[in-house]
Amino acid sequence: QVQLVESGGGLVQAGGSLRLSCTASGSIFSINAMGWYRQGPGKQREWVATIASGSNTNYADSVKGRFTISRDNTKNTVYLQMNSLKPEDTAVYYCNAEVVVTSRALSDYWGQGTQVTVSS
């Protein structure tokens, strides 16, 4: 069993910054890619950014240049630094991880989500 716990969401004015964190715990052997998704009001969940185990990163066009994803493998933690926030970034942000558990099975895990609200 693996748990992902996010933190760092909140209310911020447009142009401001927030840093999200997500820590994985449980029966972890290793973690492959980790990423962030978001779901805005009345919208479908969308991909935001991914970081591979080798630290290669990819970003959605809507956040490129404003958001930075990083990870600390010693802490099984992924971060999302969000700068120059816009009202359209308002969403529940979810952490995702591809985890190899101690039985060597590979599964996808999700966090519970953290709310980010950007006021204009």
Side-chain angles (χ1 to χ4, degrees):
Q1 194 70 300
V2 174
Q3 299 81 38
L4 270 61
V5 178
E6 298 117 333
S7 62
L11 173 64
V12 64
Q13 288 189 331
S17 299
L18 282 174
R19 189 192 194 208
L20 306 182
S21 300
C22 171
T23 299
S25 62
S27 304
I28 299 170
F29 176 75
S30 64
I31 302 177
N32 296 339
M34 303 184 81
W36 291 93
Y37 292 71
R38 66 186 182 185
Q39 186 165 13
K43 299 180 180 180
Q44 290 189 332
R45 189 175 297 189
E46 64 175 358
W47 167 72
V48 175
T50 301
I51 184 166
S53 57
S55 297
N56 287 334
T57 58
N58 284 287
Y59 298 91
D61 287 343
S62 59
V63 306
K64 203 171 293 184
R66 299 187 298 121
F67 291 10
T68 302
I69 189 171
S70 61
R71 64 191 286 173
D72 184 338
N73 292 328
T74 66
K75 299 180 180 179
N76 290 335
T77 298
V78 62
Y79 305 96
L80 187 68
Q81 177 67 44
M82 304 185 294
N83 298 328
S84 302
L85 282 161
K86 305 175 181 180
E88 50 264 43
D89 294 318
T90 294
V92 178
Y93 283 71
Y94 297 92
C95 170
N96 172 266
E98 295 177 351
V99 179
V100 178
V101 296
T102 50
S103 65
R104 302 303 189 266
L106 174 66
S107 295
D108 233 27
Y109 292 89
W110 292 89
Q112 81 288 352
T114 184
Q115 177 70 47
V116 171
T117 302
V118 184
S119 63
S120 56

